[in-house]
Short mmCIF file of all heavy atoms in Angstrom, two decimals:
data_model
loop_
_atom_site.label_atom_id
_atom_site.label_comp_id
_atom_site.label_asym_id
_atom_site.label_seq_id
_atom_site.Cartn_x
_atom_site.Cartn_y
_atom_site.Cartn_z
N GLY A 103 11.35 3.98 -1.94
CA GLY A 103 12.40 3.32 -1.18
C GLY A 103 13.65 2.97 -1.91
O GLY A 103 14.40 2.07 -1.47
N ALA A 104 13.95 3.64 -3.01
CA ALA A 104 15.17 3.30 -3.75
C ALA A 104 16.40 3.35 -2.83
O ALA A 104 17.21 2.44 -2.83
CB ALA A 104 15.35 4.24 -4.92
N HIS A 105 16.53 4.43 -2.04
CA HIS A 105 17.69 4.66 -1.19
C HIS A 105 17.31 4.90 0.28
O HIS A 105 18.08 5.55 1.01
CB HIS A 105 18.56 5.77 -1.72
CG HIS A 105 19.04 5.49 -3.13
ND1 HIS A 105 20.09 4.65 -3.41
CD2 HIS A 105 18.59 5.94 -4.30
CE1 HIS A 105 20.26 4.56 -4.71
NE2 HIS A 105 19.38 5.37 -5.28
N SER A 106 16.14 4.43 0.70
CA SER A 106 15.71 4.58 2.04
C SER A 106 14.67 3.52 2.40
O SER A 106 14.22 2.79 1.52
CB SER A 106 15.09 5.98 2.24
OG SER A 106 13.87 6.08 1.51
N ALA A 107 14.23 3.50 3.66
CA ALA A 107 13.20 2.56 4.05
C ALA A 107 11.88 2.91 3.34
O ALA A 107 11.20 2.04 2.76
CB ALA A 107 13.01 2.60 5.56
N SER A 108 11.45 4.14 3.40
CA SER A 108 10.34 4.71 2.65
C SER A 108 9.11 3.81 2.62
O SER A 108 8.76 3.19 1.64
CB SER A 108 10.78 4.99 1.22
OG SER A 108 9.82 5.78 0.54
N LYS A 109 8.43 3.71 3.77
CA LYS A 109 7.25 2.87 3.88
C LYS A 109 6.01 3.50 3.23
O LYS A 109 5.12 2.76 2.78
CB LYS A 109 6.96 2.53 5.32
CG LYS A 109 7.98 1.61 5.97
CD LYS A 109 7.58 1.22 7.37
CE LYS A 109 8.58 0.26 7.99
NZ LYS A 109 8.16 -0.14 9.36
N SER A 110 5.98 4.81 3.19
CA SER A 110 4.75 5.45 2.68
C SER A 110 4.75 5.66 1.17
O SER A 110 5.73 6.07 0.59
CB SER A 110 4.61 6.85 3.35
OG SER A 110 3.59 7.57 2.72
N GLY A 111 3.57 5.34 0.59
CA GLY A 111 3.42 5.62 -0.84
C GLY A 111 3.59 7.06 -1.20
O GLY A 111 3.91 7.39 -2.33
N PHE A 112 3.38 7.93 -0.24
CA PHE A 112 3.48 9.39 -0.50
C PHE A 112 4.95 9.84 -0.58
O PHE A 112 5.20 10.96 -0.93
CB PHE A 112 2.70 10.19 0.56
CG PHE A 112 1.21 10.16 0.27
CD1 PHE A 112 0.44 9.10 0.71
CD2 PHE A 112 0.63 11.13 -0.50
CE1 PHE A 112 -0.90 9.04 0.41
CE2 PHE A 112 -0.71 11.09 -0.78
CZ PHE A 112 -1.50 10.03 -0.33
N GLU A 113 5.88 8.93 -0.32
CA GLU A 113 7.26 9.20 -0.56
C GLU A 113 7.67 8.68 -1.95
O GLU A 113 8.79 8.88 -2.36
CB GLU A 113 8.13 8.53 0.50
CG GLU A 113 7.89 9.03 1.91
CD GLU A 113 8.67 8.26 2.97
OE1 GLU A 113 9.89 8.48 3.04
OE2 GLU A 113 8.06 7.44 3.64
N GLY A 114 6.75 8.06 -2.67
CA GLY A 114 7.04 7.46 -3.96
C GLY A 114 6.73 8.40 -5.11
O GLY A 114 6.00 9.38 -4.98
N ALA A 115 7.31 8.09 -6.26
CA ALA A 115 7.12 8.88 -7.47
C ALA A 115 6.87 7.90 -8.61
O ALA A 115 7.28 6.75 -8.60
CB ALA A 115 8.36 9.74 -7.75
N ASP A 116 6.16 8.44 -9.61
CA ASP A 116 5.93 7.61 -10.82
C ASP A 116 7.16 7.68 -11.73
O ASP A 116 8.22 8.27 -11.36
CB ASP A 116 4.67 8.05 -11.57
CG ASP A 116 4.69 9.45 -12.14
OD1 ASP A 116 5.80 10.08 -12.18
OD2 ASP A 116 3.67 9.96 -12.56
#
Side-chain angles (χ1 to χ4, degrees):
H105 300 284
S106 67
S108 193
K109 290 185 178 182
S110 170
F112 283 84
E113 298 176 75
D116 65 11

